[in-house]
Amino acid sequence: MSAVTKDRFRPVKSILVSQPAPAGANSPYVQLAEKYNLKIDFRQFIKVEPVVPKEFRKQKIDILKHTAVIFTSRNAIDHFFAICKDFKIEMPADMKYFCISDQTAHYLQKYIVIRKRKLFVGQKTAQDLFDYFKKHKSEKYLFPCSDIRKDDIPEYMEKNGIAFTEAIIYHTLEADLSDLADVKYDILAFFSPSGIKSLKINFPDFKQGNTRIAAFGPTTSQAVRDLDLILDIEAPMPNAPSMTGALELYIKKVNNL
């Protein structure tokens, strides 16, 4: 085994997670840090900015001409209802909502009273919603999203001739990470291609060296490979459906636990 390969299996002592810090002491990241005596920091690599009313108006979208709304994130929910407030739009009681996960559906209750017969919830991915779309093919769907988003939902709708409107309600931008220029971590954990893009824009001369990279989801993993970086930890896996699970398996291996 070469020296470079050996270095990639050095024990892990520190991890930077490219997400906001979790609330509460029951976070699996907190438990992981305590269990293996790790330093785990959190830092968003991306930031979101709302579309202003003038910009939204240019899209010429009549929200109330739609019968269903698709939500894939909390950001989408927050910015969608901010737009509704700006335009004094009250969502009708018979509007249907399609949410990518239980967490997203639960967050929706911050803005509306949930009626079970009007709510359709996936497990975690957009593909989980496709059967619902097929069963409710006659709906007129509104898809509030960022200017940077995955293609899976639009492609499915177009392929199956389902009426939908894409509404850009917020922008995804790179966060300023200049204060991390001289900070080193054993592992960087990413959850979206946007996070990888932010790394490259903030640090155009980034050299991976002995830093291990973890990625959640196939599009994030591909973004790592597209930059010719080494992907050391890939999630989800059959035996590790979460990022923390994948990290723990790797840590057990390299820390000889």
Side-chain angles (χ1 to χ4, degrees):
M1 184 182 292
S2 69
V4 173
T5 305
K6 285 181 180 179
D7 283 342
R8 301 211 65 73
F9 288 90
R10 291 188 309 170
V12 171
K13 298 179 180 179
S14 61
I15 302 172
L16 179 62
V17 179
S18 60
Q19 285 189 330
N26 293 324
S27 162
Y29 287 104
V30 173
Q31 296 170 8
L32 188 69
E34 292 177 349
K35 186 175 182 179
Y36 297 103
N37 192 28
L38 303 171
K39 168 184 166 64
I40 300 182
D41 293 333
F42 300 86
R43 179 66 177 274
Q44 275 192 295
F45 275 44
I46 58 175
K47 62 180 180 179
V48 297
E49 290 186 356
V51 165
V52 297
K54 182 179 179 181
E55 187 179 353
F56 182 77
R57 193 176 287 112
K58 289 180 180 179
Q59 298 181 58
K60 298 180 179 179
I61 295 172
D62 188 339
I63 291 174
L64 295 179
K65 282 191 175 180
H66 299 81
T67 60
V69 185
I70 304 167
F71 288 121
T72 58
S73 70
R74 293 185 179 187
N75 277 327
I77 291 174
D78 284 337
H79 293 294
F80 174 75
F81 283 99
I83 287 289
C84 289
K85 184 177 180 181
D86 287 334
F87 287 93
K88 297 181 171 57
I89 295 172
E90 186 172 337
M91 300 304 287
D94 60 350
M95 182 68 75
K96 293 183 176 69
Y97 299 93
F98 293 75
C99 295
I100 199 168
S101 66
D102 284 329
Q103 291 86 351
T104 307
H106 181 75
Y107 191 73
L108 183 58
Q109 296 180 69
K110 178 179 177 181
Y111 294 96
I112 63 169
V113 176
I114 297 292
R115 293 174 173 81
K116 288 186 178 180
R117 62 189 178 88
K118 303 295 181 184
L119 181 65
F120 306 89
V121 184
Q123 295 296 314
K124 187 175 289 185
T125 68
Q127 285 78 8
D128 299 329
L129 296 175
F130 290 173
D131 282 343
Y132 289 130
F133 296 156
K134 191 173 182 179
K135 290 176 183 176
H136 299 270
K137 199 171 182 178
S138 62
E139 302 294 341
K140 295 179 180 178
Y141 291 89
L142 181 65
F143 179 32
C145 59
S146 167
D147 55 332
I148 299 176
R149 51 98 178 120
K150 295 181 180 179
D151 297 329
D152 40 15
I153 290 177
E155 286 181 352
Y156 180 85
M157 297 305 212
E158 290 172 1
K159 181 179 178 181
N160 291 275
I162 300 174
F164 85 104
T165 304
E166 183 177 321
I168 306 300
I169 56 170
Y170 65 98
H171 298 294
T172 302
L173 306 169
E174 301 79 28
D176 180 3
L177 306 174
S178 56
D179 58 304
L180 295 178
D182 298 319
V183 182
K184 303 295 183 183
Y185 290 89
D186 293 320
I187 295 177
L188 302 178
F190 294 95
F191 298 83
S192 71
S194 298
I196 302 295
K197 180 183 176 184
S198 178
L199 173 71
K200 186 63 177 176
I201 289 177
N202 275 276
F203 309 109
D205 299 322
F206 175 75
K207 297 292 188 295
Q208 186 172 356
N210 299 320
T211 300
R212 273 64 59 85
I213 291 181
F216 190 90
T219 57
T220 309
S221 297
Q222 188 58 49
V224 174
R225 297 187 183 101
D226 288 344
L227 289 180
D228 292 326
L229 298 172
I230 299 172
L231 179 60
D232 301 275
I233 305 161
E234 192 168 2
M237 298 183 293
N239 57 343
S242 66
M243 175 61 88
T244 49
L247 288 170
E248 183 168 16
L249 287 178
Y250 183 84
I251 289 164
K252 283 181 177 179
K253 180 180 179 180
V254 300
N255 288 25
N256 296 317
L257 300 171

